[in-house]
Amino acid sequence: MTSSRFDVGAARCDLVIFGATGDLAARMLLPALYFLDHDRRLPEQVAIIGAARSALDDEGWRARVREWVRARVGEAFWDEAVWARFAARLGYQRVDANTAEDFSALAARLGQAPDRDRVFYLSTSPGLYATICQRLQAAGLTAGPARLVLEKPIGDSLESARRINDAVAEIFSEERVFRVDHYLGKETVQNILALRFANTLFEPMWNGRHIEQVQITVAETVGIEGRRSYYDGSGALRDMVQNHMLQLLCLIAMEPPSDLAADAVRNEKVKVLRSLRPLRGAQALRDTVRGQYTRGVADGQAVPGYLEEEGVAPDSRTETFVALRAHVDNWRWAGVPFYLRTGKRLPRRQTEVYIQFRAVPHSIFASAGAPPLEPNKLIVRLQPEETIRLTLMNKVPGLEDRGFKLREEELNLSLTEAHKKVRRRIAYERLFLDIVRGDNTLFVRRDEVEAAWSWTDGILEAWRESGEAPKPYPAGSWGPSAAIALAERYGHSWHE
Ligand code: BG6
């Protein structure tokens, strides 16, 4: 997006993926790289080396990658010629993060081409990030333009995030660190920047004088999908709110950056995070709701409750749902609540930003016995379909004896329809290109991660101290009724 520090076309780069046999590599990372190759966007000189503990050789890993990619991209995009080109880039090195010799072997392999850039992509447990960086350094692999990519989560609290960030900073300068939040790689999320800053229409009204409330919903129908060991120690606040949802909130709430340069954008986002009113103690208990799904129905199928999922302790207090009311304490947003809601096993997959404008100051239609005017709403649906809808009050055609009959109607822009022929890209495609290019605009800076943890830590602490269990909600519902009550207490209701 901005002028690159590294020359992408000429990129001669070894991309080493740690966690190369893991779920993310299988579902997202390798399919995204294949798609880039398919579209001739992956520079010729990019090699991909899988690193993991499994005892595999190049051929063994290639065979697995072939299966993953084929299953993910489908027959429409599967092409043997592309696969042959892609497979030629793939190699595998067995690396146990705790074994120094394995890093020497990796260095020996990479050392065969010392003129190449190196990118180390860590898709392992964050507990290994510091060790891997230290071992990479000890093996002489971090000099020159080496870059480091870190998957979320960066820790599970401010303190652990700082520890990881400190250890990383000893070895990699910040501009060489790419912290992934895959929501930023989604075109629909980037389109929020276009909607706000490539149009003059909304910006003058984008503030508390004109906006009554904002809601951000990330609803999923899936459960924990075999990720118990990660999820059970994490929960919805850490898994979704601390990162994806706060990033969405930042893009909605931030001031216009001067351009798309990495620091221009990230400076504005971090100001929003630092303006979040702390949610602690009694206030946090009042303005947050956490839930845990019980047995119910999802996507038409009977599904078990969270406590019945394999491996989950029968007394687990991990939340699979969070609803909360936040405030951004600055001039633009004073007095505007931001409602955030996310959960697993909700009735449908739906990622959406809902902006409700203030009511008209005086209705000239009121005396005619008409129902109250609905306020205008801007609804940006990001998933599964991409639409931008604006509701307006309209006159219903007809001859009224007195006054007007009015109804709310929508201006509806379906971006899915408008760009029907364009393949929906995996978010990681954009992110990989930016990593190779060295552009960190769509990656999260250290201070952002820490500001986000600092805010969510307050909530986690309040929950811990209260000793309360999450409220149950049946799978297939919109969460505990307390979430509805939370919005209603302030005269609002969730948009569904
Ligand atoms: C991940 C979370 O970061 O995002 C998952 O760990 C969640 O729990 C996923 O399901 C949602 O991503 P998407 O792209 O499907 O909205």
Side-chain angles (χ1 to χ4, degrees), residues 28 152 182-183 186 218 220 222-223 227 230-231 239-240 243-244 344 349 351 383:
M28 298 290 176
K152 75 159 257 275
H182 79 279
Y183 267 52
K186 290 179 190 269
V218 182
E220 298 185 280
V222 293
R227 295 159 76 224
Y230 153 70
Y231 196 87
D239 184 48
M240 297 295 287
N243 36 76
H244 308 322
K344 304 268 186 210
R349 180 163 187 244
T351 304
Q383 289 181 154

Side-chain angles (χ1 to χ4, degrees), residues 322-494:
V322 184
L324 58 83
R325 182 176 194 262
H327 281 92
V328 178
D329 280 339
N330 62 19
W331 275 48
R332 188 188 280 264
W333 294 112
V336 180
F338 283 74
Y339 293 96
L340 270 49
R341 175 177 58 158
T342 185
K344 304 268 186 210
R345 294 281 189 230
L346 299 188
R348 57 176 179 270
R349 180 163 187 244
Q350 178 177 311
T351 304
E352 169 181 292
V353 178
Y354 167 89
I355 291 161
Q356 185 178 315
F357 293 91
R358 294 204 182 275
V360 293
H362 164 73
S363 173
I364 62 166
F365 305 99
S367 58
L373 300 180
E374 284 294 326
N376 301 123
K377 293 145 200 157
L378 178 69
I379 305 154
V380 183
R381 176 72 60 88
L382 306 166
Q383 289 181 154
E385 68 281 1
E386 189 184 4
T387 54
I388 299 176
R389 286 142 60 205
L390 180 66
T391 69
L392 301 170
M393 291 307 289
N394 279 275
K395 181 181 182 313
V396 178
L399 299 173
E400 261 48 77
D401 288 342
R402 291 171 60 223
F404 283 34
K405 196 166 171 206
L406 298 171
R407 192 166 65 201
E408 186 181 45
E409 309 272 7
E410 280 184 357
L411 285 176
N412 189 340
L413 172 61
S414 166
L415 296 157
T416 319
E417 274 296 304
H419 303 286
K420 246 200 306 235
K421 294 210 177 94
V422 181
R423 175 172 67 79
R424 317 293 289 171
R425 289 188 178 278
I426 301 177
Y428 285 92
E429 294 178 55
R430 157 92 273 150
L431 299 179
F432 271 125
L433 276 190
D434 287 354
I435 291 163
V436 171
R437 195 183 264 154
D439 180 348
N440 345 45
T441 307
L442 298 178
F443 295 82
V444 185
R445 208 168 56 189
R446 172 178 185 156
D447 49 359
E448 285 179 80
V449 174
E450 294 182 3
W453 275 124
S454 155
W455 188 72
T456 45
D457 269 4
I459 301 171
L460 288 165
E461 195 184 312
W463 288 351
R464 228 178 359 252
E465 282 175 0
S466 84
E468 280 172 28
K471 298 193 164 45
Y473 64 97
S477 71
W478 279 106
S481 55
I484 298 168
L486 164 64
E488 282 181 351
R489 208 162 52 237
Y490 295 101
H492 295 134
S493 56
W494 294 100

Side-chain angles (χ1 to χ4, degrees), residues 105-344:
L106 177 65
R109 180 173 190 140
L110 299 180
Q112 290 157 15
D115 59 329
R116 298 169 67 83
D117 275 1
R118 284 163 188 160
V119 174
F120 299 104
Y121 195 117
L122 309 197
S123 168
T124 64
S125 148
L128 294 173
Y129 289 173
T131 311
I132 294 177
C133 290
Q134 286 148 9
R135 294 207 188 281
L136 287 171
Q137 186 184 40
L141 286 170
T142 55
R147 270 155 276 163
L148 179 74
V149 187
L150 299 175
E151 260 301 329
K152 75 159 257 275
I154 311 286
D156 58 7
S157 62
L158 176 59
E159 196 199 330
S160 56
R162 274 198 185 134
R163 233 182 296 124
I164 293 171
N165 284 333
D166 282 345
V168 164
E170 300 258 312
I171 297 162
F172 292 92
S173 59
E174 180 62 28
E175 61 157 16
R176 300 201 178 280
V177 180
F178 294 74
R179 294 181 195 79
V180 174
D181 183 312
H182 79 279
Y183 267 52
L184 296 178
K186 290 179 190 269
E187 303 216 61
T188 53
V189 172
Q190 292 155 29
N191 202 29
I192 295 175
L193 291 177
L195 177 71
R196 289 196 55 200
F197 303 127
N199 297 291
T200 51
L201 206 56
F202 295 116
E203 205 44 34
M205 305 183 66
W206 210 257
N207 55 55
R209 280 188 302 287
H210 300 282
I211 290 179
E212 159 86 18
Q213 56 150 328
V214 177
Q215 295 182 12
I216 302 176
T217 296
V218 182
E220 298 185 280
T221 54
V222 293
I224 53 169
E225 309 295 289
R227 295 159 76 224
R228 195 268 317 157
S229 61
Y230 153 70
Y231 196 87
D232 203 38
S234 175
L237 190 77
R238 292 186 176 100
D239 184 48
M240 297 295 287
V241 177
Q242 188 272 344
N243 36 76
H244 308 322
M245 297 195 76
L246 286 185
Q247 285 293 328
L248 290 175
L249 185 149
C250 283
L251 296 179
I252 294 295
M254 73 190 209
E255 295 301 315
S258 56
D259 58 25
L260 282 179
D263 280 336
V265 173
R266 299 186 304 175
N267 287 344
E268 296 307 334
K269 286 196 295 170
V270 83
K271 279 190 220 162
V272 174
L273 293 167
R274 290 190 180 138
S275 307
L276 280 170
R277 184 183 304 168
L279 259 182
R280 299 181 188 283
Q283 187 68 39
L285 296 182
R286 213 169 19 249
D287 284 353
T288 68
V289 172
R290 57 187 186 135
Q292 190 184 67
Y293 63 83
T294 55
R295 205 177 284 192
V297 175
D299 288 330
Q301 303 277 329
V303 292
Y306 181 73
L307 296 180
E308 298 159 314
E309 300 274 10
E310 209 185 316
V312 172
D315 57 352
S316 169
R317 292 194 159 188
T318 300
E319 79 285 354
T320 59
F321 174 95
V322 184
L324 58 83
R325 182 176 194 262
H327 281 92
V328 178
D329 280 339
N330 62 19
W331 275 48
R332 188 188 280 264
W333 294 112
V336 180
F338 283 74
Y339 293 96
L340 270 49
R341 175 177 58 158
T342 185
K344 304 268 186 210

Side-chain angles (χ1 to χ4, degrees), residues 34 66 70 77-86:
Y34 169 92
R66 183 184 164 96
R70 198 163 181 171
F77 292 98
W78 180 257
D79 181 328
E80 287 293 343
V82 175
W83 166 253
R85 186 169 72 223
F86 185 64

